[in-house]
Each structure stands twice: as C-alpha cells, then as structure tokens.
Amino acid sequence: MEVLTNLINGMSLGSVYAIIALGYTMVYGIAKMLNFAHGDVIMVGAYICFCAVSYLGLPAIAGVALSVVGCTVLGIVVERLAYKPLRNAPSLNVLITAIGVSYFLQNAALLIMGSDPKSFSSIISLPALNLFDGALTISATAVLTILACVAIMVALTMFTGKTKMGKAMRACSEDRDAAQLMGINVNSTISMVFAIGSGLAAIAGVLMCLAYPTLMPTTGSMPGIKAFTAAVLGGIGSIPGAALGGILLGVIEIFARAYISTQIADAVVFAVLIVILLIRPAGLLGKPVNEKV
Amino acid sequence: MSRLTDFAKQRRENTKMVPVPSVSIMPERDLGKAPALECLHLGIDFGGLKAVDDFNITVGRTEICGLIGPNGAGKTTVFNLLTKVYQPTRGTIIVDGQDTAGLDPARVNRLGVARTFQNIRLFNTLTVEENVAVGLHNQHHCGMATSILRLPHHWKSEKYYHDRALELLDIFDMTGLADHEAGSLPYGAQRRLEIVRALATNPKLLLLDEPAAGMNPSETAELMENIVKIRDQFQIAIMLIEHDMNLVMNICEGICVLNFGKIIAKGTPEEIQQNDAVIEAYLGKQNKEVA
Amino acid sequence: MLSVYNINVWYGAIHAIKGISFDVNDGEIVALIGANGAGKSTTLKTLSGLLRSRTGSITFMGEDLMHMPAERIVEHGLVHVPEGRRIFQQMTVEENLDMGAYSQPRDTIAANLERVYAQFPRLKERRRQIAGTLSGGEQQMLAMGRGLMANPKLLMLDEPSMGLAPILVEQIFEIIKSLHEAGTTILLVEQNAQMALSVATRAYVLETGKVTLSGTGDELLHNDDVRKAYLGG
Amino acid sequence: MGIKTLKPQTRSTIITYAIVVGAFVLVTILDGLGLISHSLSGQLVPICAYVSLAVSLNLVVGVSGELSLGHAGFMSVGAFTGVVVAGCMARAGVENGILLFVGAAVVGAIAAGVIGFLVGIPVMRLRGDYLAIVTLAFGEIIKNLLNIFYVGVDDAGLHFSLTDSASLGMSKGTILINGPKGAVGIEKVSTFFIGIVLVLVTVAVVLNLMHSRDGRAIMAVRDNRIAAESIGINTTKYRLMAFTVASALAGAAGVLYAMNYSTIVPSQFDFNQSILILVYVVLGGMGNISGSIISAAFLTVLPEVLRPINNYRMLLYAIVLILVMVVPHTKIYQRIADALRRRFRKGDFDDAPVAEAVAEEGGEAHE
Amino acid sequence: SGDGDTASAGSTAGTTAAAGAFKIGGIGPTTGGAAIYGNAVKNGAQIAVDEINAEGGDVQFELNFQDDENDAERSVNAYNNLKDWGMQILVGTVTTTPCVAVSAETNTDNLFQLTPSGSSTDVIGGFEDADGNISIPRKENVFQMCFTDPNQGAASAQYISEQQLGTKIAIIYNISDTYSTGIYNSFKAEAADLGLEIVSETSFTEDNQTDFSVQLNDAKNAGADLVFLPIYYTPISLLLTQANQMGYAPKWFGVDGMDGLLTVEGFDTSLAEGCMLLTPFVATAEDEATKAFVGTYSEKFGETPNQFAADAYDCVYALKQAIETAGVSADADFTEICDALVETFTSSDFAFTGLTTAGEEATWADTGEISKQPMGMVIQGGVYMPLDA
Ligand SMILES: Nc1ncnc2c1ncn2[C@@H]1O[C@H](COP(=O)(O)OP(=O)(O)OP(=O)(O)O)[C@@H](O)[C@H]1O
Ligand SMILES: Nc1ncnc2c1ncn2[C@@H]1O[C@H](COP(=O)(O)OP(=O)(O)OP(=O)(O)O)[C@@H](O)[C@H]1O
Ligand SMILES: [Mg+2]
Ligand SMILES: [Mg+2]
C-alpha cells in the first residue's frame, strides 16, 4: 500500500513535470531552442490565475482560461521581441537570451506581485478520493493532473503528426529556408509554436499550484529545470518522450526519497538520469539521429 | 562524354604495369605483399534493406579503382563500411593484410585508410594549414604538457607540422591559401583541401567520394592529373566514386559497378563501357555511343 | 513572364550579385550557367524571396516580388528547387511531398502526387522511408518532386543534375523537357553547361555576379569562350 | 609595421595578455592614487575568479564545442578541497598567504581535474543537449553530496563524515566543512595580485593548449566529428582532455573564490552559478578568450553599477543581457555596422575573400 | 572602470536626517527568492529610524539598505558599497549565509554589526560543540538580536518535553538551509538528552520543496504525534496543505520561521489551526508597543509585519539605547563607535526591552548571543494565542 501511495504521489508530481516538459519539448523540437524561460512562463500563468480568482473574483475556470490567454500572448510577445531577431544566430545566443527573459520575468513578477508567497490552497479545492478505507488517498488534483497530462500528450502528438500546421512546424524545425520555399510562413509558424508552448505552460502552472499551492516569483525555475531534465530523459523533441520522462522523473524522485534517503534524493534522481542516458544516449523515446555520411 | 583523351593514353604508356587485381574476381596474391584492400562478402543492412551485400573486391597497392553505380546503389555506404563509420553486418575487410574487425574509424585510419566525403566535411573554422596539420596528427607526436609548457619539443613539432603541411598543399598549388579559413574557400578548393588532409594521414588506401562533383570541366581535368600524380608520387592505392564518366574512364585501371548493393560488373574501363547490364542500369543509351 | 532588372545582393559585406538583369518568357527554358561562386544560386534565392536585392525590380506575371515574402511568392507559382536538395531529412518521402503542396488546395494534392510518383517511381518505392537516409540521387529526385507538387508556373531548378548517375542526368533532362512541353516555364541553373545549353531556349552566362554573355542555347553552345570555360575545350 | 603584420592568432594572443596585464597595472596605479572604491576593490578578486572560470569554460564550450551546464560543480570541488588543504596547512603552522593559496589551488585543481576526468568518461559518450543535461546532473549531484559532507581537522589529523559534524569524532579541532553550513572561517588569503596571476596562468594554459597539436585536434572534433575520426583522431580522448583541463582550471578558480570569502556553502555552487559562467562565455564569444575576459568582468561589475536603482537593477540586468544578445542581430545594427566598416576600410571589399561572411554564418553550419 | 567610487548609493536612504546622524547600513535580500525577509527588515528598520528622527533627540540615524539577493558574494559587495557611503554601523545581514560572510568583513574592519536575523552561531563565531570543536573564532564586533539556531532548537525540545506535547516526534527540515539544519541538530541533541523519542527524521532541499508526501508519509507511518518543523513558513504552508489532503493531522511545532504563515495570501488558515511555535514576536500581541508598530507598519507598507521586521525595529532601538549609554557621537570614526558599542553591549548593566523580548529585559553575552525568552504561541481561530494560557 505504501508503495502504491508513493507511486501515485510520484505520478502526480511527475505529471506536473510532464506537462511542463511537453511545452519544453514542443518549443525545442521545433524552434530548436532551449527555452529556459519556460519555467517562468508557468509562474506567470499561475499568477494570472491567482489574481483572476482572488482579486477579480472570477470563477476558477475563467481564471484558467484567462491565464492560458495571457501566457499565449506573453509567449508570442517574448518570441517576437527576444527570439525572432536571433533566428540565424547560434543556438547558445538564444539560450542566453532565454535566460535573460527568465530573469526578467522573475524580477518583473517580484516587482508587481511582491516577494511574499501566495497560496493557491483556497482558490480551487476538490475533494480527495479515498480508497481501501482511507489507506490510500488520491487527491483529486493528482487525478486531474495525470489525466490532463495524458490528454495533452495525445493531442500534441496528433497535432504535430497529422495536421497540416503540425507538419509545417516540423518542416520549419528542419530547414527554415526550405520550409519557406514550400510556402510556409516561418515566422507565424514559430510564433504558433510559442503560443502553444506558453499556453501549455499556463495550464501546467495552474495544475502545479493546485497540487503544490505556493506561488512565488521563483516558483517556476526549479520545476522548469526538472522538466527540462525530464524532456531530455524522454528524448528531447519527442512528445510521448516528454510525458514519459516527466512521469518517470517524478516517480523516481519520490521513490528515491522514500526508499533511499531524503538527504540525497536529488543526487539519486540525477544519477538515475545519467545511467539511463548512458544506456540510451538519445533518451528513452528519442530516435538516435543517424547522420548520413 | 568524350573518348579516352590523349592525356590518358599517354599516361598509361608512361606508368608501367600497375597491378590491377580489382578487375579479376580472384585477388592476385603473387606479389609477395598483401593488396592494399581486400573485402570478402562484405555487407550491411539498414532495417530490412540490404544496402550492401556480398561485396568482394581486391585493390592492388598502387591501383586506381573506380566504384560506380546508380544513385543509392550503396557506393558511399561501401566507403562508410571501409572506414567503419558503419559497422558491417557481415563480411571481412582486410587493409594491408590486417583484419579491421572491431576497429573504430580512427584506428582504421591509422591502419592506412583515408577518405574524403561526398558532402564536404572540413574543419571550417580552422585555417587551411591547420586542417592539414590536424591530418598530420598521428605522424608526429607532442604531448599536452609539452605544449602547455611550450617546451622546445613543442616548437619542433610546430615546425614539422608547418613545413609538412605546406609541402602537401603544394601538390594542389594551395600554399597561397594556407592562412585562409577553410570554410571560406571556394567549392573546388574545399574539395582539394579534403584530399590533401586525407593525404596528410599517410594512407595506403585513399578513398575519394565524388571528388569532381560541382567542378567544371577544366577543374575536373586538373583534378584528374592530380589524382594520378598523387598515386605515382605516394605509391598508394586510390578508390574513387564518381559520376563523371570522363574522369572514371580515363584514370581508373579497374572499375567496379554496384547496383542495389550488389556488384553487377567488374572490369577495365573498356569492358565496363560495353557491359549491357551497366548500360542498362547506369550509363544509359547515349553513353554507350561514347564507348 | 519574369523580368529581373538590375538586382544587387550582398552577403554582409560581400557584393555577390552586381546588377544582374534578365527575362524569362512564357514557355521558355532559360539556363543560367557559370563557374562556382558566380552567383547563380544567389540569383535564384533572390527571386524566391530568401534573399533581398537592395536595388532594381523583379516582376513575375505582373506582380512585384521585391517585397513579397517568400511564402507568398510560392503561391504565385514561382517555385524554387534549391541547390543541395534541402529536403526535410527527418520526414518521410511522402511527408516531404505533402509539404511541397503546402500552398495548394487540398483536392489537387492526390492527383499531383500520382503524377510525381509516375515521374519518379523510385520515390513511390521509398514513400515511407525517412528522407535523410536516401542516397544523394534519390534525394535530388525527391527535391524535384517536391517542387512539382506546388504546381509551378515557373520552376527554378538549381543544379538538378549534381551528383547524379549519367542515366539519371539523362532522365532529369528528359523530365525537364517533358515538363517544358507540358507548359511549365523553367529557369535552370547548371554546372553541366553541355546538357543545360542543349535543352535551353535561351541562356545567360554569369561571372562573378555579372551577366557576361547571353544568347540562345545553340549560340552559346558554339561560342568559343563558352566552350573553353565551361565545356572543357 | 608591428601588430598588424602578425598572424591573427599571434595578434589575438598578445592582445589577450595585454588586456590582463593592462588591467592589473591600471588598477594598481589607481589604487595607489586612492581612486578605487571599496566597492570596486572588493570585487577585484571575484572578477579574477569569474574571468578564470569563463576562460576555462570557454575551453569546453567554445573550443571543444560541448555545452556544459555544470561548471560550478567543478568550481565547488576545487573550492572545498582547497579549503580543507588550507585548513590543514594552517593548522600545520603555515602562515604565508601565498603559500597557503598555492597549496590549496594546486590540490584543488587536481581534485577538480580528477573529478572532471571521472565525470567526463560517461559524459563524453553523449552528444549535444544530452551531454549538457548530464553535466547539469553532475553539478547537482556534487552539490547534493557536499550537503552531507563533513570534514574536520584536529591534532589527530583529518576526519570525514557523511552524517553530521558530531560524528567526526574530533576533539578540540576545527570543523572545516560542515555539511550544508559549508565551510566557515576560511583564511582570506586571496588578493588581486594572486587573482591576476591565476588569470594569467589560466589564459596561458588555455591559449597554449588551443594553439598546439592537441588543441587543433580538439577544434577539429568540434568542427566535424566524423571527419576528425576519419583522419585518425580519437575524438573521445580530445573531448575528455578539454573537459578535464577546464575542470582543473575551474577548481583553481574555485579556490581563489573561496579564499576571498570567509565562508562558502554548497548551495551557492548551483545551476544558476553554472549558467552565469556560461553567459560570460557566450557573451564574450565562443572560443574567444579575450572576449570571455571582458564579458566576465563587465557582467560581474554590472549589478554593482546598477545598485543605485535598487530593486530595478536585476530587471535592468536582465534587459541588458537580452539587449546585448539581440541587438547585434537586428537589421538596423547590421546595416550600421556594415556602413561603418565600409567607411573605415574602404577598398577591402569587392575582392575580399569570403571569409567574413561565411564566418557570420558559422553558427548555422555547426555540425 | 576606475569611477563609480562615489557614494551614489546614498540616494536610496529614505531618511532626511540632520547632519551628524549616525550612518546605519542595512543589508538583506530585497529581490530574489528571499526578498520577503529582506524587505521586512528594511521596512522595520526604516520605521524605527523615522520614529527616532521624528522625535528629534540627540541621536539621529540615516539608514541605507542594500540588496544582497541572499547571496554571500553580493552581500559582501553590498557591504563594500555601504562602506563607500560611509556606514558606521551595520544592521544586518538578514539571511544567515551572507551574514557569516559579511561578519568576517566587519570583523576585519572592526565595524559594529547587529544582525536582526542572522541566527547561525557561525555569524558570531566562537561556538564550541560538545567536543570543543569550533569552525570559526569569535567575532567580537558581531551581535545578534535573534535567537541562535542551537538556542531555538534546544528551547523547542525543552518546551515540548516540559509541556509533554508529544511522545513520538517527527522532524522535517531543509538540509540545504543553514538555519534549518542548525536548529535541527541542536533539537536532536537536546531531545536525546531529554529522552524525547524521535521516530522520523526527513529532509528536503531548496530544489525540491514542493512535494512533501514522502516526508509526511514517513512521519505518519512512524506514528508521530508531533511534527517539528524548523523551517520557514513558505514550505510550511505547502506542507500543511498536503498533510490535510492526505488526512494526516498531528500536532505541528515550529520555530520563529513559522511566523508569517497566517499572512500568506490565499492560504486557508484553518489548516494552520493548532500549530505551535516558539517565537519572539507575534503581530497580534496586545501590548502597546506591538500595536503601535503593527499599526504603523500596515499603514505604511500595507501588510502585517513579521518577526524579521520586529527584530530589525528592535535593532535600531537597541543601537540608539547603546549609543546613548556609550555616549559616542556621530562624527566619531566607525572603529571608535564599534569599540564603544561592544563595551556597552557586553557590559552587565546594559539591558534592552523591545518588541521581541517578550516584555522582559534582554541582555547580550560576550559571545554576541542575546538572552531573551521565546514565547510559545499557538494558532487558534486564525490568530496567535499564547501557548501556556
Ligand atoms: N543510415 C542509413 N539508414 C538507412 N538507409 C541508409 C542509410 N545510409 C544509406 N542508406 C540507404 O542505402 C542505400 C545506399 O546509399 P548510398 O549513400 O551508399 O548510395 P550511393 O551509391 O552513394 O548513391 P549516390 O551516388 O547518390 O551518392 C540508399 O538506398 C540509402 O537510402
Ligand atoms: N551564405 C553566404 N554567405 C556569404 N557569402 C556567400 C553565401 N552564399 C554564397 N556566398 C558567396 O556569394 C557568391 C555567389 O555564390 P552562389 O552560391 O550564388 O554561387 P553559384 O554560382 O551558385 O555557385 P555554385 O556553382 O558553387 O553553386 C560566392 O562568392 C559565394 O562565396
Ligand atoms: Mg554517395
Ligand atoms: Mg549554386
């Protein structure tokens, strides 16, 4: 039973990572950039939802919707201002810019919202599921997060694999000039990627704060890094990989804490990651790119 | 495509009797020395696709051997197998008498196999001279500590690399470009530099993957002369892939034709030009008249 | 159909195209020939909107292309098959062809696909293969097939015969001829001057960013300077 | 005559050394004149440490072309080892600051180098972002393990523990590393002079390595791994070499940093610290050593310069960071730069080799 | 790079003081993850300075508070910056690790330092453990307004033991935080002496302070009836929510870091019902001084002050009192001021009563530690109530 409890807790934590990782992978896979500001977009999303519900008195659903819209717009704006000029720059320059954006969002949030933590706990509260006479409790947020994670993963896979827009995104990710020659508007396609990624970030932010209801300007940064790790673990660029990597990372983290040591749990998690990558150098579901010689 | 040029005829008369084992199925073993390359039943699969299958060839120590075939026949794949970019699924590769099983690309190079690439792969941010100096890497050693401390041996090595690199560049009249960034060279010069770099590793077998691609006729003619010159001067075996029949027919002693991963013909240029299967699969009707 | 007047293109500080002007009339095959680095590819990239000219004008069927984004130019029927294939390596052959038809109405795609497969049976065999693992020649076929998927009015081919087996070079030129007969106007850039000039209605010779000679295909084929420089004597 | 006629490589080497020595001379003179504020003089040593870190990371990121996100981990290995060494030496009666530093720095560098080598063996089996994440992971593991690492010294010698300071089993000793509380009571021996010397050593090691047989091999592997293999270069060996040397240099820089403050804690050598160093490298330019030096110094001083605007300074820092990255790639900037270049170097143009323009595109062509 | 040495930093001082005011520097995180503590200290100190200046007595202050982002290196930078400004006394730094670094600097310079909240023994130095090991010698110029960590840990254990609050105790602490591990260590040692049974010890780090399910499960499965939380209130707010979700309701016992829990916006305070903590200050206390302070603070800054603000407020008043006792003047050199203040603070007849001294007189030992009584508080009906009442 304890194992089961830990498993469920791990999956719930992992689904949060997974949703964030899905956004990461999406942006990475297509725009070929590590958007280190992704975690901070999550934070912004959570703040928007928080403000909408507790200051404007909107219902929770409206708060979520507003936060998705807000983040989508933010994603597009940031992309236009900070990343678009760097289309032809080396990828590390873009990485550093993303870090700059991350600092910017954190500090802007600090100035606007203050440094004191906000708690989500009274924003939305759902009853928990009790199984086996209370021996196993599954919180509703856990169920919600896991379901959302799976739904988003499936939707994204379908989108990039089957739709015209999705294929166009993949084309842009490979060769922007050639994509243009096909009649694809590269700029709007990449904006679209950021819009989707940021919209996902908003959902991730709200779900994360539901499960772990403390919100501060720095709330997004550590989950952001963990999610990046998860995306790589699953094979960066791979959508099912991100979901799998996220959930696995969450489970490993919880199990490492429960059965090894709370003191070096992080070290264990990262060690597992390294071992997995050594066995599968392109991540769990990543395709090893066979360069044609 | 023109007939054998005078240049080629004249050259054949001048260079006396280069053994041409690649033409016959059985390798010539009576030379006292092992051939430069011997492949036995070489093959590789990609998924279900037998990209190369039952590939047998022997290349003499100073032979120029052509490898031709339609696009996708597996020519580049053969080179990748010989240099261990891909590990063969089956078969044996013997370089200069030594089995290369289990070796990695770097080791194979040290055994004496050097190559150029179909899509040029230079060290773009290094200068031309540095590109060649890197090729000389295993010809002269100098430890890390020696370099960092700038001990006398370091300077001696640097002088060696410099002198030798210029010597090699001189083959293609490229000494003047020594300080240019390799990536900024014109296309033809990049192709030539790739050859020089490969030569710098002191190979016994040089593999050239479409060396004349993207060159105009006069550049190609010059290249032909140079390939022969390299063979004569360095006394090495050269195996080349090329779609320019003018080049192939004029400088190769033996030619091997590949289709769907299998050898469909081997022979001298004259034989190949007459071979119906080759005309059917590769040369096309028009080129038949050429021969 | 296409008229180019006095275009100048820079790469950073490098002046790659120095005032080129030429025309392509409806139903022609126009060849641009010239040595490596003469600026042939740069010219095509400028026409398709990947690069911008600082001066002059480009008009295609009455439309001004100077300021039109690349993706719109394709919609107008000016299709560029770039040098070096530039296929989508990670996508399958068929997905690549789909992408070629990105700007086309949905209902025409299936028919187009059949047409392309008929022209390149090898592509049909490999329709599910990841394009990056095709051989050089197969990739070139795919690139051309992809271009054809866009229903071009004017098809710009940048060195389509590069790296192809002789039999395929023949085939490619057959295809070019048959496309031409079917009414597609073609702007052909080639190193293989012999072949190019023999199919071309008219041709221009480029040298270091300038047009140095022009004439009908036959004229140039028999021009001494051209013979010396581009046909190997 | 003079500098313009030298090979570009030699010229940039001379300029690099000149920057470091010039900065030292300038600061020393200004200090003599009493023109250096406490604020600036307090930053001199950290600047030197960051410069060394940036230069050493450039060896990995710029020269060998691998993205490493765990440089702070090696810095911390060096720092904590150095603290222990210095603590032991001090207890053994060594008082000379320079001697303490040299002892600590050498051992710290060796320790970091060894760890770098061990970490590098698995890391070098990976590529690109997978490699990056594994370096990040190692950085975090190192930080995590240091959190449960206790070291003390008493008359009986060194004591280690992985549980708490009480289980060190010492009496009347000094606790050198106290788990999450880190090392406190570090002998503050770092000076600007020592810092400059370390920078010079770091720069010399990196530049000498770059411009040697091994360095060329490292850069060749970066430019084209497959081609490098085809000419007989053991790519793993050279990537590992760059990684190990950089780790060792980071270790030495860590010692310099640690011995400038009386305390260091494991948690400060985190991912953000690694990123900060990476920012210096990227801003300064890949493989550009003098660039790393200048950008590390500039970005270290910047937050202090922005101090008067108080709570807005980190916001402004972020904006500056974005702008420095973005502006050079905007059309307007490039137009202006082109125009300026044309004005000042008339004639160079039409026949100039294509080098420049291709170099601008170099990033794209990467692998 | 030679300029920038002017004292431009002074522009941030919010006070217009008469010439001859003491220049007090403050350092703490006003940006970054720990900004809440730094801002509290900054505001608390500012109120005190304003009050004192408004009173117009002999002792006037000028306050310049600098940000350190809770980073030791930045903190030392801030310190140097304040030196350029002409700082004579330092109130700070707020967080522990930077405080250890800066106290080494003030010690070298001999500048008087009184920290409102740098609670580690490494701040003041000279602390010997049971075996006589030390990690840093005593820094004579450094004094604390808050309890030291060992002090709090031991006091908590004693309190739990005396009041028999729990028989099986679980501890959840932050292993990457000096403050938390400091309290944890001494609590554990003291608990062992007192015979308290500790059934579960688990930790977390700064990097994974989101999910506490494992720690809570461990405590729950071990049958702990009291969970000791030597951590700050932000993770506590999360932890309580998660415990509630899993239906685990032991007694919670915190330390002064728990103060602030009730002010977390959006936090369901009913979750905190019954939480106990030892703290020197609660904003809901009924005494005049606290009421006045809380009133001014909320009026000025729109929020309820926490113990950091109160400690800072006390720091300034303690300094005022000590300056008056020592009789130093504002034009004295900072080392002179330091010597005089050290003597005053350590003299046996110097005692200070403030917001955080539980209405009694607090004194300072030679070690720099303050001796004052913590108050036991319990959260009832959304407010703090004295525990023993
Ligand atoms: N890594 C790989 N994975 C799957 N298939 C591959 C791979 N590399 C090559 N192939 C396939 O193997 C066959 C041979 O390819 P190869 O590149 O050797 O052809 P080639 O003879 O060099 O052709 P070309 O003259 O066009 O360069 C092709 O069908 C190609 O698609
Ligand atoms: N991306 C680029 N950056 C800088 N210079 C370039 C770039 N691309 C081409 N050039 C330069 O512009 C000039 C014209 O190049 P272009 O590619 O148009 O020639 P080309 O005639 O197509 O040659 P090829 O036969 O090799 O394809 C050359 O000098 C080339 O070096
Ligand atoms: Mg090939
Ligand atoms: Mg071209």
Side-chain angles (χ1 to χ4, degrees), chain D residues 289-306:
Chain D
I289 303 302
S290 49
S292 289
I293 296 175
I294 293 169
S295 71
F298 168 70
L299 282 187
T300 308
V301 175
L302 183 63
E304 289 308 305
V305 174
L306 295 179

Side-chain angles (χ1 to χ4, degrees), chain A residues 290-293, chain B residues 44-47 49-52 67-80 86 118 209-210 241-243 258 260-261 282, chain C residues 85 122 126 129-139 162-165 168:
Chain A
N290 251 345
E291 207 178 339
K292 178 89 166 66
V293 181
Chain B
I44 186 171
D45 301 345
F46 292 118
L49 179 76
K50 287 192 168 176
V52 174
L67 184 58
I68 61 174
N71 297 103
K75 305 179 296 295
T76 303
T77 308
V78 167
F79 276 18
N80 286 338
Y86 299 150
Q118 184 168 359
D209 199 343
E210 303 201 14
I241 297 175
E242 191 44 77
H243 288 303
L258 216 54
F260 294 113
Y282 182 68
Chain C
R85 296 138 196 178
R122 177 63 76 93
R126 305 274 169 135
Q129 189 172 340
I130 298 295
T133 63
L134 293 175
S135 79
E138 291 161 349
Q139 295 190 1
M162 186 170 164
L164 293 197
L168 270 173

